[in-house]
Amino acid sequence: ITGLLLAASSPAFGNSDGDFQKQFLAQRLAPLEAGKAMGDIADKLIPTMAAPGGDPANLIPASLKSAHQSMSAVPPDSYRAALHALVQFEQRAALPTITVPVLCLAAEHDRTAPPAVMERMAQKIPGARYACLAGAGHLLHYEQPEAFNAELETFLKDMQP
């Protein structure tokens, strides 16, 4: 590994036994328990992850159709397993040990991995670069693909010897 992009991420989800985590799991798994398909879940979840200001008549804008298709294709057992793994994720102590160049790329309207969290994460990684995409939410690579690619290309060029 010669470099690392951490986009719309966080070094931890918190205490896996915490009330927030239990509520998160219950909320995210409830539709599956009620017999909903992954497409139904994507219908509800994708718009909440995007930046505000979309057309309310078009819940899934064209820029997020691919995200919707991807989420709809996830097997329910994989979704369950990913959610259970997510609430146990804790890597804050590892941040200062990262020795490759890192770009921490946040999104202005990301409520899942807020810019302030991403900026603090970058400050704990030696030499990390922080950038924040204006006008994007948690699905920044779908919402602002040109800006996302520009930040990544700049980072990759800066890594060249």
Side-chain angles (χ1 to χ4, degrees):
I1 298 172
T2 58
L4 186 61
L5 167 65
L6 299 174
S9 186
S10 172
F13 199 84
N15 178 354
S16 63
D17 295 327
D19 289 337
F20 172 79
Q21 289 73 12
K22 289 175 186 173
Q23 290 171 356
F24 174 85
L25 278 176
Q27 179 186 31
R28 291 289 174 96
L29 293 174
L32 284 180
E33 305 306 327
K36 299 288 184 183
M38 287 302 298
D40 299 322
I41 294 169
D43 288 343
K44 301 288 187 205
L45 192 56
I46 296 289
T48 69
M49 299 170 92
D55 178 2
N58 183 15
L59 292 179
I60 306 294
S63 63
L64 297 178
K65 294 287 186 197
S66 183
H68 186 276
Q69 290 170 343
S70 295
M71 185 171 189
S72 297
V74 172
D77 286 343
S78 296
Y79 182 69
R80 280 187 185 92
L83 290 174
H84 283 283
L86 178 62
V87 298
Q88 296 178 26
F89 185 72
E90 167 54 82
Q91 290 297 312
R92 286 178 271 224
L95 297 177
T97 70
I98 298 174
T99 59
V100 297
V102 175
L103 169 59
C104 292
L105 189 53
E108 177 184 15
H109 300 291
D110 190 343
R111 295 173 300 277
T112 303
V117 170
M118 295 276 317
E119 189 169 20
R120 282 193 305 273
M121 183 169 65
Q123 291 168 352
K124 294 180 182 191
I125 300 170
R129 181 173 158 236
Y130 168 79
C132 184
L133 298 186
H138 189 62
L139 303 172
L140 64 165
H141 57 295
Y142 290 107
E143 296 175 78
Q144 300 284 341
E146 294 86 10
F148 181 94
N149 289 341
E151 287 290 345
L152 181 56
E153 287 173 10
T154 298
F155 174 67
L156 294 172
K157 285 177 186 170
D158 290 348
M159 286 180 33
Q160 299 298 317

